[in-house]
């Protein structure tokens, strides 16, 4: 989770350096692209079976700070690229991350990982930054 936190911090530093046009326009969002490394756990039946790190990913983010004049911090990231497994397998990754701020930041991500040795993982994970709790949703492992 360290790298997810690092990615979140880097993302907000980048967003802070942008002109946040959404502040003055009720329903506008800021968006952009950046490249990064990756780290993420993989779960099957509630048990962590692998972790992925490194590789090269491209992230398209859409960040909305205000909606209809009310504070609403929400971001959706679409991630594509290749990452490496602890087993040495290379995975093509398609992932959608959704960060929402209510009382604290909550991240939910949906991943689809296709390995070059035939492994295929799909799943949903939710991480609450306030309680530091990871919740494993539906997963499929082949």
């Amino acid at each position: 989770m360290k790298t997810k936190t690092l990615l979140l911090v880097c993302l907000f530093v980048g967003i802070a350096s942008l002109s946040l046009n959404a502040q003055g326009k009720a329903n506008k969002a800021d968006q952009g692209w950046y490249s990064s490394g990756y780290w993420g756990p993989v779960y099957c039946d509630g048990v962590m079976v692998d972790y992925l790190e490194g590789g090269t990913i491209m992230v398209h983010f859409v960040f909305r700070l205000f909606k209809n004049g009310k504070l609403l911090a929400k971001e959706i990231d679409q991630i594509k690229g290749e990452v490496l497994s602890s087993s040495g397998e290379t995975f093509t990754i398609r992932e959608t991350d959704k960060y929402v701020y209510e009382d604290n930041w909550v991240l939910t991500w949906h991943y689809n990982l296709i390995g070059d040795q035939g492994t295929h993982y799909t799943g949903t994970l939710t991480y609450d930054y306030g309680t530091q709790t990871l919740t494993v949703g539906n997963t499929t492992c082949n």
Side-chain angles (χ1 to χ4, degrees):
M1 293 320 305
K2 298 192 286 194
T3 303
K4 285 274 185 187
T5 302
L6 177 62
L7 284 174
L8 180 65
V9 169
C10 291
L11 180 64
F12 289 122
V13 168
I15 289 171
S17 67
L18 297 172
S19 169
L20 289 178
N21 296 328
Q23 290 183 1
K25 299 175 185 170
N27 289 316
K28 298 294 180 184
D30 285 311
Q31 62 179 326
W33 288 90
Y34 66 92
S35 65
S36 179
Y38 183 87
W39 184 93
V42 178
Y43 285 83
C44 292
D45 298 323
V47 176
M48 190 170 101
V49 295
D50 204 349
Y51 68 89
L52 305 174
E53 63 183 336
T56 302
I57 60 170
M58 290 298 298
V59 180
H60 178 256
F61 69 90
V62 177
F63 180 78
R64 185 178 309 259
L65 188 57
F66 284 85
K67 184 174 183 179
N68 297 326
K70 293 187 176 186
L71 179 62
L72 170 71
K74 179 171 134 181
E75 178 176 341
I76 297 177
D77 298 340
Q78 291 185 6
I79 299 170
K80 298 176 184 176
E82 289 188 345
V83 294
L84 305 173
S85 167
S86 58
S87 69
E89 190 168 7
T90 300
F91 283 87
T92 299
I93 183 172
R94 301 265 190 237
E95 181 174 302
T96 301
D97 296 356
K98 181 179 179 182
Y99 295 92
V100 176
Y101 184 83
E102 292 172 0
D103 293 327
N104 56 60
W105 285 103
V106 175
L107 164 63
T108 300
W109 69 101
H110 304 276
Y111 58 86
N112 184 3
L113 307 163
I114 300 172
D116 63 355
Q117 297 173 14
T119 307
H120 188 187
Y121 300 122
T122 60
T124 301
L125 299 170
T126 300
Y127 185 73
D128 184 317
Y129 285 87
T131 62
Q132 298 183 352
T133 303
L134 178 70
T135 304
V136 179
N138 293 332
T139 58
T140 304
C141 304
N142 297 317

